[in-house]
Amino acid sequence: MLAAPRFAPALLTGMAAALWVLPAPAAIAATPEEAAQDAPESGEGTDAEKAQAKPQKDDGGFPLKPRWRVHYDVGKVSVPANVAMPERGWNDVLRRAYLGVDAKFGGGLSSRVELDLSGDQPEFTDLYLSYETGGVTLTAGQQKVFQSIDDMTSDLHLGFAERAAFVEAFGFGRRTGLTATVKKGDFLAQAGVSTDALVALNDAKTNSLGLNGRLIWAPKAGDTQLHLAASASWRDRNDFADAGHRYRARPYTRTIGTRFLATPSLKVKSETGFGAEAAFIRGRLHGVAEGYWLRPDLASGALYRDPKMWGGYAEVGLFLTKDRRSYKGGNFGAVKPSAPLGSGGIGAVQLNARYDYLDLGKGFSASGAPGGSDWGEQRALLGSLVWTPIDNIAFSMNYAKSRYEDAAIAAADGDRDYSAETWLFRFQLHY
């Protein structure tokens, strides 16, 4: 079993403080709009966070809303006996432990401060200030950049415990910068400029510059919600190039640290990426598919040049109960059970299936001739069962069967083509 984080005492103290200010259990259930927005990883920006529950107020009269979440995972990864992996058997991990507060100051100004306490040291997840006027929202601070609906959708509202392999491999996440969101009818335009994450800004040598944008068309056809989107990004890694970078992904769980798919260390000067998204929600059924293409530009004198990488997935999900996925601001939102446990029902029960693919490309010598070997491909079939008994609690069971070609870790006999199975169980509690 993994050891509890050294910051666990602070986590328990913070959770106790949050529970002290929360309303009584009967008042915990959020409205559908609030539940859909209670997501620091939603990436929707504060224009999609208009609906809030009755806020607590501090002595200065500013509306405040505490927020917290806990994800606890138990998982197991099985690979052939002759493949080196130290974390065999069942392992557990406190995947997330967030504690924070939302504030609305009036005049269109709002902010969010949130810490992740699950590691040895606390780290900011979100830390930003937003200004909203009409259909325009400006946000400054650490936040999600605009890439991929699977990354932008909150981890509270995903159909699977972990995101698509390309999201981890290509390093999507939060960075510090300025973003703008403009909404007009069924269209949504998002753009931003960013540097590094706050944790990296402590190092004067890290000063990357990134540009990203996402265009979304989300019309409704009767009862069907449609979503079509495209995104583009460019990032100059600057001094990060000197340290080297590896593109790699875990087998759909953070209960182990082993990555079976990974590139060698590369001196990446810049990255250019393009994404395409399509999704629908109709009654109990939803479907979503994405593709993302990444082109790293390596520094002169590197052993390789011109790698081309891409990943994608196709997913379909069905509620066995009379429920449906919500959608707002270009992302999937919360599941609010139509018949919660204790109120005449069992909550919401959802089945999901996904095919996921990741290709890390090949290395070419500086002269352009093939050099080294393929950096690997992963094909995976995934399934999940998600039970949401009430708005603030969820349980999920996840399974993945992954097939690797040219894996980064070779078997004892030198074979780099083999399969892995992942079982993951998650308990989720949030407010």
Side-chain angles (χ1 to χ4, degrees):
M1 293 292 188
L2 298 182
R6 289 182 292 174
F7 216 81
L11 168 64
L12 296 176
T13 302
M15 293 295 292
L19 288 170
W20 180 259
V21 300
L22 293 183
I28 288 179
T31 65
E33 293 81 10
E34 180 200 351
Q37 307 315 317
D38 191 12
E41 297 193 17
S42 70
E44 297 177 15
T46 53
D47 68 318
E49 295 161 2
K50 300 176 184 177
Q52 299 289 349
K54 294 180 180 179
Q56 307 295 319
K57 292 189 177 182
D58 67 3
D59 294 336
F62 291 144
L64 299 174
K65 179 190 173 188
R67 54 185 301 113
W68 51 265
R69 74 184 58 183
V70 172
H71 285 168
Y72 175 69
D73 293 353
V74 178
K76 178 182 179 180
V77 179
S78 299
V79 292
N82 62 349
V83 176
M85 186 182 73
E87 313 103 323
R88 291 188 183 271
W90 291 94
N91 297 274
D92 65 341
V93 66
L94 184 59
R95 178 67 173 90
R96 295 179 180 91
Y98 293 174
L99 184 64
V101 63
D102 285 340
K104 288 196 172 182
F105 306 108
L109 286 172
S110 62
S111 70
R112 174 171 293 172
V113 178
E114 188 172 66
L115 283 169
D116 184 0
L117 307 178
S118 61
D120 291 338
Q121 298 291 335
E123 291 186 9
F124 283 107
T125 51
D126 288 322
L127 179 62
Y128 58 73
L129 177 69
S130 288
Y131 173 68
E132 180 182 355
T133 177
V136 179
T137 301
L138 301 176
T139 304
Q142 176 155 297
Q143 57 192 297
K144 280 288 189 78
V145 298
F146 299 123
Q147 298 167 307
S148 169
I149 190 173
D150 201 49
D151 184 48
M152 303 288 286
T153 294
S154 167
D155 56 68
L156 294 174
H157 313 322
L158 295 169
F160 294 87
E162 296 296 337
R163 293 179 166 86
F166 74 83
V167 173
E168 180 184 7
F170 297 163
F172 293 174
R174 293 173 172 83
R175 298 188 190 121
T176 309
L178 176 66
T179 64
T181 298
V182 180
K183 180 174 175 55
K184 184 72 172 178
D186 294 333
F187 291 91
L188 190 69
Q190 302 171 316
V193 56
S194 63
T195 180
D196 308 315
L198 286 173
V199 68
L201 291 179
N202 292 329
D203 186 347
K205 293 182 179 180
T206 58
N207 52 359
S208 68
L209 174 66
L211 304 173
N212 59 85
R214 187 169 175 240
L215 294 175
I216 302 161
W217 181 45
K220 291 199 71 173
D223 185 48
T224 303
Q225 174 69 62
L226 300 174
H227 168 97
L228 294 172
S231 64
S233 66
W234 173 84
R235 185 185 184 199
D236 182 349
R237 295 178 61 86
N238 210 319
D239 292 329
F240 272 125
D242 297 334
H245 179 69
R246 301 182 72 191
Y247 298 93
R248 53 186 186 166
R250 293 179 179 88
Y252 305 103
T253 177
R254 295 293 182 97
T255 58
I256 70 170
T258 302
R259 281 91 159 179
F260 299 106
L261 205 64
T263 68
S265 180
L266 305 173
K267 292 189 175 183
V268 182
K269 292 193 304 180
S270 64
E271 300 168 324
T272 304
F274 299 95
E277 314 165 16
F280 75 89
I281 302 171
R282 182 175 177 83
R284 303 182 187 184
L285 183 68
H286 85 271
V288 56
E290 284 196 77
Y292 200 91
W293 293 261
L294 187 72
R295 178 74 177 268
D297 181 21
L298 304 188
S300 59
L303 295 176
Y304 306 103
R305 75 170 196 178
D306 298 332
K308 299 176 183 178
M309 307 171 182
W310 83 280
Y313 68 90
E315 173 186 319
V316 63
L318 176 68
F319 280 96
L320 305 183
T321 51
K322 294 180 180 180
D323 297 285
R324 65 181 290 161
R325 295 194 81 168
S326 61
Y327 176 90
K328 190 173 183 180
N331 307 308
F332 289 116
V335 173
K336 179 177 173 61
S338 58
L341 187 68
S343 300
I346 63 169
V349 180
Q350 183 185 24
L351 285 173
N352 302 288
R354 173 182 282 193
Y355 173 78
D356 192 22
Y357 177 78
L358 175 63
D359 180 3
L360 293 183
K362 301 179 179 180
F364 288 83
S365 69
S367 64
S373 61
D374 288 353
W375 290 339
E377 296 178 60
Q378 173 181 285
R379 295 174 173 84
L381 292 174
L382 298 90
S384 72
L385 173 65
V386 183
W387 176 39
T388 309
I390 61 174
D391 292 354
N392 304 87
I393 295 176
F395 302 86
S396 69
M397 178 177 70
N398 301 258
Y399 172 79
K401 176 76 171 183
S402 306
R403 176 66 184 175
Y404 297 100
E405 296 181 14
D406 296 301
I409 301 175
D413 60 3
D415 187 13
R416 297 175 63 204
D417 300 347
Y418 50 82
S419 297
E421 287 186 306
T422 301
W423 289 94
L424 183 65
F425 300 88
R426 169 169 292 177
F427 168 66
Q428 172 177 300
L429 178 67
H430 69 95
Y431 174 78

